[in-house]
Amino acid sequence: EVQLVETGGGLIQPGGSLRLSCLGSGFIASSSYMNWVRQAPGKGLEWVSVIYSSGSTYYANSVEGRFTISRDSSKNSVYLQMTSLRVEDTAVYYCARDGTGTYYMDVWGNGTTVTVSS
Amino acid sequence: SYVLTQPPSVSVAPGLTARITCGGIDIGSKHVNWYQQKPGQAPVLVMYEDSDRPSGIPVRFSGSNSGDTATLTISRVEAGDEADYYCQVWDSSSDYVFGSGTKVTVL
């Protein structure tokens, strides 16, 4: 069964850092385009970042320069390093697979909650 | 950046048809994907590349895309279809873009 499990969320103060992890099973994450998508409380979905199978990375303007996406093929995992966190980064963060450049997300994790508050 | 516009809400009686629109400049030239999200759950892909259904999605769900509007149609609506629905495209200048979402209420 193809599955994604996110971990690493929590309560963090503004200006702090946090690293989210996404463990894939049933498929090879490094052969896919792997995304992070977030959803602020009561709001819609917002794309955050993607790492292509080639290793190229892209970010939403709202997180460019503060967040870094990476992967570890040996662990079949993708990560999101978040720095200089702001209150407006508070959200459920989902990991989602885009097969291979099909540009739709066919597998989603259950999400991990990040709360930025003093 | 590319913008997708959805109506905030759609209400429909059981057994009838719900149509959820997604507007964008020349959206007909792009592939549109649709996600269903029920409260407290992760999104689920229900339509991809305008009109293709993933395995396990009922045939009651169909999609179309032309001009400046894409539409997700749910025929013979059931109580279990009550959810938020998001359209999504990929744009070369904006990467992955989601619509604002439409809450479907089954009366």
Side-chain angles (χ1 to χ4, degrees), chain A residues 33 35 37 39 43-47 50 52 58 94 98 102-106 108-110, chain B residues 33 35 37 40-45 48-49 86 88-90 94-100:
Chain A
Y33 290 16
N35 291 269
V37 176
Q39 186 170 36
K43 302 298 184 181
L45 302 174
E46 179 189 16
W47 174 77
V50 63
Y52 285 179
Y58 299 91
Y94 294 101
D98 168 348
T102 52
Y103 300 118
Y104 58 83
M105 300 174 199
D106 63 345
W108 294 67
N110 286 327
Chain B
N33 311 301
Y35 303 87
Q37 186 180 35
Q41 298 184 19
V44 173
L45 180 70
Y48 66 95
E49 295 180 348
Y86 295 90
Q88 175 257 316
V89 301
W90 186 86
S94 307
D95 292 292
Y96 299 81
V97 181
F98 287 96
S100 50

Side-chain angles (χ1 to χ4, degrees), chain A:
Chain A
E1 179 190 7
V2 176
Q3 195 173 6
L4 295 169
V5 177
E6 305 94 334
T7 56
L11 174 63
I12 188 78
Q13 290 188 337
S17 299
L18 205 59
R19 189 178 86 149
L20 307 183
S21 300
C22 171
L23 174 63
S25 58
F27 74 104
I28 300 173
S30 61
S31 297
S32 301
Y33 290 16
M34 297 299 297
N35 291 269
W36 288 97
V37 176
R38 69 184 180 183
Q39 186 170 36
K43 302 298 184 181
L45 302 174
E46 179 189 16
W47 174 77
V48 173
S49 181
V50 63
I51 183 166
Y52 285 179
S53 52
S54 65
S56 296
T57 59
Y58 299 91
Y59 301 91
N61 290 338
S62 58
V63 306
E64 180 86 54
R66 300 188 299 123
F67 290 11
T68 303
I69 191 170
S70 62
R71 69 187 179 202
D72 185 335
S73 300
S74 68
K75 297 181 179 178
N76 209 37
S77 292
V78 177
Y79 307 97
L80 187 68
Q81 179 68 49
M82 305 185 295
T83 64
S84 301
L85 282 162
R86 306 167 180 168
V87 170
E88 55 265 35
D89 294 319
T90 295
V92 175
Y93 284 74
Y94 294 101
C95 178
R97 182 186 80 167
D98 168 348
T100 44
T102 52
Y103 300 118
Y104 58 83
M105 300 174 199
D106 63 345
V107 181
W108 294 67
N110 286 327
T112 187
T113 300
V114 173
T115 303
V116 184
S117 173
S118 54

Side-chain angles (χ1 to χ4, degrees), chain B residues 8-87:
Chain B
S9 62
V10 168
S11 298
V12 59
L16 298 187
T17 297
R19 294 181 178 84
I20 307 161
T21 59
C22 176
I25 297 174
D26 196 27
I27 196 173
S29 67
K30 303 179 183 298
H31 282 153
V32 179
N33 311 301
W34 292 89
Y35 303 87
Q36 176 194 69
Q37 186 180 35
K38 296 182 178 180
Q41 298 184 19
V44 173
L45 180 70
V46 295
M47 196 68 56
Y48 66 95
E49 295 180 348
D50 299 337
S51 57
D52 288 333
R53 277 177 294 103
S55 174
I57 301 302
V59 296
R60 301 183 296 104
F61 287 77
S62 61
S64 63
N65 183 22
S66 179
D68 292 334
T69 305
T71 304
L72 177 70
T73 301
I74 311 173
S75 304
R76 302 180 298 283
V77 166
E78 302 175 356
D81 298 330
E82 191 162 282
D84 294 327
Y85 291 82
Y86 295 90
C87 58

